[in-house]
Amino acid sequence: MKIKNSIFIAAFVALGFAVACSPDEVSGGNPTTGPELDAAFTTTSTEPTEQGQTVTATASSNDDNIHYHMWIASNANGEYANTGGQRGTTATFTFNEGGTYKIKHTVAGYVGGNIAVSEKTIVVDLPLPEFGPNLVQSPNFETASDWTIFHTGANTDVNWTINENSATANGGSDSYPGAGIYQAFELEEGEYMIDMHISGDGSSLSWFRVYLDAEVPVDGSDYSQDEKTVLGLSTWEANCANNNAFDGQLAEIQCVGTGNPVTIPSAGTYYLVIKTGSGAANGVNNITISDVNLKKVL
């Protein structure tokens, strides 16, 4: 939550004092420079939803000795940013993810150096969305024919192997070949979530991408939908060095793509497409997937 706080910071710097606080404690200013101020406050919250929770903070006092009120809120880890703030006797904050937040209230008097600070901890526990059943046939590749394998070019340097409970991709060359698997679905309008378990021994010059789109894959032709990537990995991304070994849920470790949920604008036939490739010999190194999920958000 980023709200302009330059006036607040400038005033503090000009007055040359520091603020220190601890949860639910109130500190007073210098009694020789002005009357004691009250920074206590109360909070009210809306019912949490999947989209977030709104918290309104209200100052307990607004006596004539208070020049102004300043409010700031932390991130979900309780960490304050260097900027951001609201003025007035009330402030409203909306928290869009679960976590432990802090709200800090500072009041300043008319006499230089006279301040008081109070802080409260807010625990936001958002409900998890509800999903329909998994729409994927053979999510652990129980029946190989439920999945179609295709190559994204004329070469076959990258290949998928259907195992007993998973599918594994290997290969690669300096011609940047790729290969994928897909499954067709009749989907309703709405939002959908995609996830799968993924592991790898460490790849080089490689990519891994997942799509949900109306375009049907064609063997021997690249599925050029990179701007529509939902989940993915890439050795070119600084925060996504899958040239190291990895093992986890793709929705958690992914670093490429728009992320969940996927919005389906109208009912029709859509394809869950999973492709990988590399520009190095055997750059795709035992990338293995299982427990593939496609579920509608209810």
Side-chain angles (χ1 to χ4, degrees):
M1 182 175 304
K2 298 182 178 178
I3 308 171
K4 294 294 184 182
N5 195 30
S6 58
I7 297 176
F8 173 61
I9 294 175
F12 272 32
V13 172
L15 292 173
F17 50 70
V19 176
C21 59
S22 59
D24 300 315
E25 293 184 0
V26 178
S27 60
N30 185 345
T32 64
T33 60
E36 184 175 347
L37 303 177
D38 182 8
F41 64 97
T42 59
T43 58
T44 57
S45 303
T46 61
E47 285 295 320
T49 68
E50 296 170 18
Q51 287 69 44
Q53 184 173 20
T54 298
V55 177
T56 300
T58 304
S60 299
S61 174
N62 189 33
D63 67 46
D64 293 338
N65 295 308
I66 296 177
H67 180 40
Y68 63 82
H69 301 255
M70 178 59 70
W71 307 84
I72 58 174
S74 74
N75 61 19
N77 297 318
E79 303 164 336
Y80 291 107
N82 292 327
T83 60
Q86 297 183 43
R87 297 284 290 267
T89 56
T90 64
T92 300
F93 301 96
T94 298
F95 304 118
N96 297 316
E97 59 179 295
T100 300
Y101 296 84
K102 293 179 181 178
I103 296 176
K104 184 186 293 185
H105 176 218
T106 301
V107 293
Y110 289 93
V111 180
N114 191 29
I115 65 167
V117 180
S118 184
E119 185 179 65
K120 287 184 181 292
T121 298
I122 306 295
V123 177
V124 176
D125 187 13
L126 303 183
L128 296 175
E130 296 184 7
F131 303 104
N134 187 10
L135 302 176
V136 175
Q137 299 297 313
S138 298
N140 287 294
F141 302 90
E142 297 88 344
T143 303
S145 59
D146 286 332
W147 294 89
T148 301
I149 298 174
F150 73 103
H151 292 88
T152 59
N155 57 61
T156 57
D157 291 13
V158 176
N159 290 286
W160 282 88
T161 302
I162 304 299
N163 310 311
E164 183 177 352
N165 293 303
S166 61
T168 300
N170 280 288
S173 72
D174 58 8
S175 61
Y176 288 87
I181 57 177
Y182 69 90
Q183 191 172 133
F185 301 87
E186 293 300 319
L187 299 181
E188 302 172 346
E189 177 183 345
E191 292 186 332
Y192 292 79
M193 302 287 284
I194 300 172
D195 202 3
M196 65 194 69
H197 185 270
I198 185 169
S199 64
D201 294 335
S203 299
S204 59
L205 293 178
S206 67
W207 63 90
F208 183 93
R209 295 179 181 273
V210 179
Y211 313 87
L212 185 62
D213 195 74
E215 180 181 336
V216 59
V218 177
D219 191 40
S221 177
D222 192 13
Y223 199 76
S224 301
Q225 296 275 31
D226 287 355
E227 74 283 357
K228 297 182 180 180
T229 300
V230 181
L231 305 173
L233 303 172
S234 172
T235 56
W236 286 276
E237 298 294 328
N239 64 334
C240 188
N242 63 316
N243 52 333
N244 300 316
F246 53 92
D247 188 341
Q249 290 299 120
L250 183 58
E252 295 179 1
I253 66 175
Q254 65 95 14
C255 59
V256 176
T258 58
N260 285 307
V262 184
T263 300
I264 298 301
S266 58
T269 303
Y270 292 84
Y271 300 87
L272 176 64
V273 180
I274 303 167
K275 78 171 188 179
T276 187
S278 174
N282 298 314
V284 176
N285 187 14
N286 287 327
I287 295 180
T288 300
I289 62 172
S290 61
D291 194 25
V292 182
N293 275 262
L294 174 63
K295 297 180 178 181
K296 190 175 190 297
V297 180
L298 301 179

